[in-house]
Amino acid sequence: MTAPYQQIVTDLRQAFPQPVSDRVHDAYFVFSFLRALDQVDSMKSVQPLLGKPIPLDYDGARASRIDENPKSLEQVTARLVEYLSGMLIWGHPRTQVNVVPSPTIPSIIGGLLPSIYNPNLVSEESCQRVGLAEIEVSAATAELVGYDPQTSAGVFTFGGTGTTLYGAKVGLEKACPGAMQHGIHEPVHLVCSERAHYAGRTVAGWLGLGFDSVVEVAADRDNEMRTCLLETQCRELLQQGHKIAAIIATMGTTDAFGVDDLEEICAVRDRLVTEFSLDYIPHIHADAVIGWAWSVFNDYDFSGNPLGFRGRTLRALARTRRRIQHLKLADSIGIDFHKTGFTPYVSSLFLARDKTELTRLARRPEAMPYLFKSGVYHPGQYTLETSRAGSGPMAALANLSLFGKNGLRSLLGHLVAMAEALREQLEAHSATHVLNSGNFGPVTLFRVYPDGVDTFSFPEREQTDPACRDKVREYNAYNRRIFEAVQAEALQGRGVAISLTDCYRETDYGEPVAALKSYIMSPFSEEQFVQYVLDSIWKARAEISATTAN
Ligand SMILES: *Cc1c(COP(=O)(O)O)cnc(C)c1O
């Protein structure tokens, strides 16, 4: 007589991968996954999304409860698949929404394998060779950005925000030695540009420095930190006897792909260290979660142009390299493979130029009595996290080996070529104005104006002249209407899904300026899809002027 629980255990065993080779069961495992993929596939259509956009039932979700009895694997997977309904397909050429890539197949498998065998990067005992993957990716990426792979080191963490947290925390320990043990008892700041990601604020809040400790430096029209103001503002902090834990340089801003002048930021820092005879060196962290990938162009032969990029693209890539080549000057760098490296979430690498700085984060061995009994690689001694998945480094490793430098150069070059094609058209037309014309990445921010606006002079006027306040608001609303019309077309499978940012920047008199945003990330994008964006815009403009004329 088997007890009821024994029967349940026997049935549930079918839902686990078999510990000993069992070809029949392996086939069942793979087939279960194939069926799920098949079910997802049937949700595809000409539209750039899976299934249908249905209103999300949050109340229903809160009413969810756990069942009394187990379900079959098939029932569960079928249910899981339904949750993808309504998702935009990021890799669809009709999607130009944000810096979200479509993951490659090897990177998906790189993420999947560890989720079957479950390595934990906390220490060598629990991750074995997957720990080597983390070291290999760190070394290869270090070399790519210009660090010495022998003296630098990297750890994967929980996102771009995590990389900024590591940078700020290392900086804090350098500025206020022993803060990890004793806490913070003096005024200390993070300094970044006003275009920096809000991750810097998040980190200041969570580290206990407080949002108010973040000093924002104004950015110029090209979305770069104004380094003369950086110098003035840092000098003021130091004159008051305050400390600087870290200066965060943004190497590729989220909205506009602005790239800070890291070389000058370092020069400012070095001058201030001398001027104030500081007993610590303010840490410089490069938030390159977006821009890092352009490092593949550091050693590209721009004059020979062996990959054959056309002139406008080549110029855009060279403009970015001009800034990105200085990444090696930063004390640490944040890198998201899940942004411009085409992996699944989460694959974020924190790189320290000097690996000994990571020991500033170490806990005392007595605090971790059950870990690190054997082997040599124990990142868990200094990482914030204890359990760390192997999926991040394995996915990154997959893509670095899939692409090589020329693969990544070609993909990025293609995305930039598409963005340049869009910009060329937007610049040629009198009803549109490109806002980030000084930034040369895959993202384009632009404003559309109704008939009769002189777009040669008006964009400059609306930026500077307070008398334009009402017009700015009117055109913000106008751009929102264009966005809604373009969005509706996209969901019909005709146009292209783009996005809208409510505040691309403020005017000189403090009014938010909204902008339409095209972020081209799909390797499947082609010029015809750029044309669809324009067609949708002209159609929307015509509809709006027809309704206002009535
Ligand atoms: C996206 C982004 C972040 C945050 O990264 P996550 O991986 O989303 O946590 C930080 N900085 C910049 C510049 C970003 O674009």
Side-chain angles (χ1 to χ4, degrees):
M1 212 14 223
T2 44
Y5 88 88
Q6 286 171 316
Q7 188 55 49
I8 291 178
V9 170
T10 306
D11 293 345
L12 282 180
R13 280 180 180 159
Q14 293 304 310
F16 286 86
Q18 298 304 291
V20 175
S21 176
D22 176 343
R23 289 279 164 94
V24 175
H25 197 275
D26 277 357
Y28 173 64
F29 178 10
V30 173
F31 189 70
S32 301
F33 195 64
L34 274 182
R35 277 185 48 161
L37 286 183
D38 229 29
Q39 287 160 9
V40 176
D41 205 61
S42 66
M43 298 186 341
K44 289 182 181 168
S45 64
V46 286
Q47 301 171 339
L49 52 84
L50 295 171
K52 296 251 166 323
I54 39 166
L56 299 174
D57 178 7
Y58 292 101
D59 288 332
R62 276 184 285 266
S64 185
R65 303 291 180 266
I66 188 168
D67 291 337
E68 194 64 24
N69 287 310
K71 280 209 167 42
S72 72
L73 188 155
E74 289 70 21
Q75 287 169 311
V76 175
T77 50
R79 175 173 178 191
L80 294 177
V81 166
E82 288 167 16
Y83 287 82
L84 294 179
S85 182
M87 278 291 299
L88 268 181
I89 301 171
W90 309 121
H92 200 291
R94 290 186 187 275
T95 308
Q96 301 178 3
V97 173
N98 222 326
V99 55
V100 186
S102 141
T104 66
I105 295 170
S107 72
I108 295 167
I109 295 178
L112 219 50
L113 290 176
S115 63
I116 304 173
Y117 290 99
N118 229 7
N120 183 343
L121 292 172
V122 65
S123 91
E124 183 177 316
E125 292 109 324
S126 53
C127 66
Q128 297 296 320
R129 276 194 71 180
V130 177
L132 286 186
E134 178 166 64
I135 297 175
E136 285 173 29
V137 172
S138 301
T141 312
E143 202 265 344
L144 189 70
V145 299
Y147 279 180
D148 177 350
Q150 293 300 327
T151 53
S152 60
V155 280
F156 276 77
T157 184
F158 60 88
T161 304
T163 63
T164 302
L165 175 64
Y166 272 89
K169 179 64 182 158
V170 170
L172 182 61
E173 289 302 314
K174 286 158 73 175
C176 311
M180 187 74 110
Q181 183 72 32
H182 309 291
I184 305 157
H185 303 284
E186 55 194 325
V188 52
H189 300 270
L190 296 183
V191 182
C192 60
S193 108
E194 62 175 337
R195 291 282 165 271
H197 193 271
Y198 61 78
R201 287 182 172 276
T202 307
V203 161
W206 284 70
L207 279 177
L209 303 174
F211 293 161
D212 293 345
S213 72
V214 178
V215 175
E216 280 188 3
V217 179
D220 66 15
R221 292 291 175 82
D222 289 341
N223 300 295
E224 291 172 17
M225 181 193 284
R226 294 174 58 179
T227 48
C228 52
L229 294 181
L230 169 74
E231 184 152 4
T232 314
Q233 286 174 266
C234 287
R235 183 172 289 121
E236 277 168 14
L237 294 175
L238 297 170
Q239 275 164 351
Q240 295 166 46
H242 292 196
K243 286 184 167 175
I244 297 169
I247 300 169
I248 300 171
T250 309
M251 306 304 276
T253 60
T254 316
D255 250 357
F257 201 70
V259 187
D260 282 347
D261 183 351
L262 189 51
E263 192 181 28
E264 182 56 24
I265 290 172
C266 290
V268 166
R269 187 261 321 257
D270 294 345
R271 278 200 291 280
L272 292 171
V273 169
T274 313
E275 184 181 328
F276 287 86
S277 310
L278 296 179
D279 60 359
Y280 69 99
I281 299 175
H283 187 90
I284 294 180
H285 175 76
D287 180 355
V289 299
I290 292 181
W292 70 273
W294 271 258
S295 303
V296 291
F297 293 105
N298 285 348
D299 58 356
Y300 183 63
D301 171 10
F302 276 86
S303 43
N305 188 24
L307 292 172
F309 297 116
R310 74 185 185 111
R312 207 182 148 116
T313 308
L314 201 63
R315 198 171 141 267
L317 297 171
R319 283 286 295 253
T320 306
R321 175 178 74 169
R322 199 172 128 253
R323 284 286 154 81
I324 291 293
Q325 65 186 350
H326 298 300
L327 259 186
K328 59 172 181 273
L329 300 175
D331 298 305
S332 61
I333 307 177
I335 289 168
D336 273 357
F337 291 97
H338 64 232
K339 276 189 172 157
T340 42
F342 303 92
T343 71
Y345 292 128
V346 172
S347 183
S348 295
L349 174 65
F350 171 74
L351 271 184
R353 193 184 55 206
D354 172 2
K355 63 181 169 193
T356 62
E357 291 194 344
L358 288 172
T359 60
R360 294 178 182 274
L361 308 180
R363 280 169 288 266
R364 285 168 297 121
E366 312 86 87
M368 307 165 287
Y370 41 84
L371 286 173
F372 320 125
K373 293 298 152 227
S374 66
V376 294
Y377 188 56
H378 303 306
Q381 288 171 332
Y382 50 82
T383 56
L384 168 64
E385 305 96 321
T386 299
S387 294
R388 277 191 314 131
S391 53
M394 289 285 277
L397 182 67
N399 279 354
L400 292 179
S401 33
L402 175 72
F403 296 147
K405 283 190 191 172
N406 275 334
L408 200 48
R409 284 175 186 143
S410 301
L411 277 174
L412 297 175
H414 178 67
L415 302 181
V416 169
M418 293 300 107
E420 287 293 331
L422 176 64
R423 271 173 246 179
E424 200 171 353
Q425 298 242 30
L426 291 170
E427 282 161 7
H429 203 285
S430 65
T432 48
H433 176 73
V434 175
L435 292 162
N436 66 332
S437 56
N439 304 127
F440 294 86
V443 60
T444 307
L445 288 122
F446 59 101
R447 240 158 117 75
V448 182
Y449 295 95
D451 287 338
V453 176
D454 173 6
T455 51
F456 288 104
S457 61
F458 188 75
E460 178 61 29
R461 256 191 68 208
E462 79 176 339
Q463 177 63 31
T464 51
D465 182 357
C468 293
R469 192 184 296 275
D470 288 342
K471 282 288 169 201
V472 170
R473 291 184 182 164
E474 181 185 331
Y475 298 148
N476 283 352
Y478 183 79
N479 277 273
R480 208 160 290 127
R481 286 183 69 184
I482 297 272
F483 166 72
E484 282 156 12
V486 171
Q487 192 72 354
E489 280 257 298
L491 295 182
Q492 297 299 318
R494 289 196 295 264
V496 173
I498 59 174
S499 51
L500 176 86
T501 174
D502 282 327
C503 182
Y504 162 65
R505 69 168 165 238
E506 286 186 355
T507 62
D508 301 353
Y509 48 95
E511 197 64 27
V513 177
L516 296 163
K517 170 166 152 183
S518 149
Y519 214 124
I520 301 185
M521 284 299 289
S522 167
F524 298 95
S525 57
E526 289 294 342
E527 277 195 46
Q528 84 210 57
F529 297 99
V530 166
Q531 192 54 50
Y532 296 158
V533 176
L534 295 153
D535 293 348
S536 277
I537 291 169
W538 307 145
K539 196 167 157 217
R541 273 187 94 243
E543 280 166 10
I544 294 174
S545 60
T547 51
T548 35
N550 289 339

